[in-house]
Amino acid sequence: MGVFQKSVGVPYSEAQAFELVSDVARYPDFIKWITAMRVSGQKELANGGSEFVGDAAIGFRGFAERFSTKVVTNVENGEVVATLLRGPFKHLVAKWTISAGEAGGSVIALKIDYEFRNIVLRVLASANEGMAANRIMDAFLTEAARRYA
C-alpha cells in the first residue's frame, strides 16, 4: 500500500480552504488530470457537512481510469474524506483536514492511503508518490490564489 501526505500553511481562512477542498464537482476545473467529475446523491448532514458520491475520470500520458468514492464533508472537524466505492484500487482513502493557522490563515493537510489492483500501476504510483502529492497540493494552492486573492 502507498501513503502520501502533505500539509501547507496558507493565508486563506479555514472557511475558504474548506470550501475549496469540499468543492469536488469543480476539481476538473483546476486539476488537469481529472478529466470529468460527477457528484450525485448529495445529502446534508446534521454537522453542516454533506455526503455524496463522486464519480471521477482521470487521464494522463495515455492512461485513463474511472473510479467512484463516497465523500463525507464535516464542517465542524474541517475534514473531507473520500473512500473507495469502485475502481482500479484495492483500497483508497483520501483525507483532507483544514485547521487554524497563523495570522488568520489555515493549514491544509492531505493524506492519501491507497493501493492499486494492477501491479504495474502500483509500481508506477509508488515511484511517483512525492511528485503526485506536490502536484495535487500545487493545484489546490493555485486555485485558492485564483479564488481568494
Side-chain angles (χ1 to χ4, degrees):
M1 275 198 285
V3 174
F4 62 85
Q5 50 192 348
K6 184 164 181 94
S7 65
V8 63
V10 296
Y12 313 109
S13 71
E14 288 176 79
Q16 288 171 318
F18 185 84
E19 175 187 50
L20 174 65
V21 169
S22 63
D23 192 4
V24 174
R26 291 190 51 203
Y27 282 11
D29 295 345
F30 60 92
I31 303 174
K32 66 181 178 181
W33 60 88
I34 298 180
T35 58
M37 177 68 72
R38 183 175 52 113
V39 170
S40 62
Q42 189 158 0
K43 54 185 169 181
E44 299 303 313
L45 302 176
N47 65 15
S50 62
E51 179 180 299
F52 54 89
V53 172
D55 294 304
I58 58 172
F60 52 91
R61 295 186 184 179
F63 167 80
E65 282 289 346
R66 293 185 175 276
F67 64 97
S68 296
T69 57
K70 174 183 169 185
V71 180
V72 178
T73 69
N74 185 322
V75 177
E76 293 172 355
N77 293 342
E79 293 179 349
V80 177
V81 180
T83 54
L84 181 67
L85 293 174
R86 62 189 163 276
F89 301 93
K90 276 186 173 180
H91 171 80
L92 172 67
V93 176
K95 181 178 182 181
W96 292 91
T97 305
I98 313 300
S99 57
E102 296 182 17
S106 59
V107 175
I108 301 174
L110 169 63
K111 179 179 180 182
I112 300 179
D113 182 355
Y114 69 97
E115 183 176 6
F116 280 102
R117 293 183 198 281
N118 180 306
I119 188 74
V120 174
L121 291 178
R122 201 177 310 155
V123 170
L124 287 172
S126 177
N128 293 294
E129 279 179 359
M131 182 179 66
N134 288 334
R135 285 191 174 171
I136 290 169
M137 193 62 78
D138 288 348
F140 278 86
L141 295 176
T142 299
E143 180 64 8
R146 188 192 70 73
R147 286 189 194 188
Y148 306 122

